[in-house]
Amino acid sequence: MGDRIFNMEKGAIYIEHLENQVNYFTTDKVQVVNASPLPPPAETVTPSPTPTPPLTPEERTRQSVRDALGTMARKLQTEELKDLPRTALWQGVYRVLEDRGIVKAEDYAGFGRYINALEVEGMTLADNGKSISKTDGGILRKPLAEWNPTSFDGRKSTYDRFHLAATTFDEILTACMKN
């Protein structure tokens, strides 16, 4: 006949050959398991993951802006940008996003809602963008490509900070959109 394996809780395993009729127990709790050979393990089939639907152009743009803002937040910790005023930062970001048609012209509250909805750590607007309306005049109201220090009504150092913020964010966003 066949063999039966006895599993004992205290660790003793005994195979009883039925033809020999040998009985041996080391514990009072016994579980009988059929000793027929185990079938080969079934091939494990890993289900293929459900493909993620491709992002819409709007979702890709939002993700690129989110990534660019995250990179900009890290750059603000560098020596080059650590002293950049927030007004220059947000005016530069606004200018780039308006130039690209991502936010509407002169919709500062809409810009603020857009930025805050992205939920990038360290990159939120407390006033929902209202302060940008105060700085969005003169040359800053024009597309970034038309900015030049001679047309700016103010000190060159102020222009340089706004320009640095806008050009840095523009470069970062361009790189993020290529990915």
Side-chain angles (χ1 to χ4, degrees):
M1 291 204 138
D3 295 333
R4 288 188 290 166
I5 297 176
F6 293 85
N7 273 334
M8 316 267 178
E9 280 190 12
K10 291 185 180 174
I13 299 176
Y14 173 72
I15 300 175
E16 176 187 341
H17 298 278
L18 294 179
E19 54 270 7
N20 295 338
Q21 294 295 312
V22 177
N23 292 313
Y24 173 74
F25 298 99
T26 59
T27 180
D28 55 349
K29 294 184 179 181
V30 178
Q31 177 184 8
V32 178
V33 178
N34 189 352
S36 58
L38 294 173
E43 290 185 36
T44 55
V45 178
T46 306
S48 59
T50 306
T52 306
L55 296 176
T56 65
E58 182 181 277
E59 290 169 331
R60 280 196 311 272
T61 298
R62 286 177 62 83
Q63 186 61 48
S64 295
V65 173
R66 182 181 292 116
D67 293 346
L69 284 172
T71 301
M72 192 73 174
R74 289 187 295 280
K75 276 194 153 298
L76 289 172
Q77 306 305 313
T78 66
E79 192 63 33
E80 179 187 15
L81 297 178
K82 73 176 185 175
D83 295 326
L84 187 71
R86 287 294 198 182
T87 54
L89 166 71
W90 290 120
Q91 179 62 44
V93 170
Y94 169 77
R95 174 52 36 216
V96 170
L97 295 181
E98 183 192 324
D99 287 355
R100 292 177 184 232
I102 297 170
V103 298
K104 294 178 183 175
E106 299 181 36
D107 182 7
Y108 309 109
F111 167 73
R113 285 189 304 274
Y114 180 82
I115 294 297
N116 290 340
L118 295 175
E119 297 180 337
V120 176
E121 186 175 338
M123 298 296 276
T124 57
L125 284 163
D127 67 351
N128 281 332
K130 292 176 188 172
S131 62
I132 295 171
S133 65
K134 297 174 186 167
T135 59
D136 193 29
I139 190 69
L140 301 179
R141 186 166 284 216
K142 294 183 179 184
L144 180 57
E146 296 176 22
W147 285 17
N148 66 60
T150 57
S151 301
F152 184 71
D153 295 333
R155 288 185 282 171
K156 183 180 178 327
S157 61
T158 303
Y159 169 83
D160 289 343
R161 289 192 298 268
F162 281 88
H163 190 261
L164 176 63
T167 56
T168 301
F169 184 71
D170 189 48
E171 290 168 7
I172 294 168
L173 183 57
T174 299
C176 289
M177 290 184 130
K178 287 181 181 177
N179 295 336

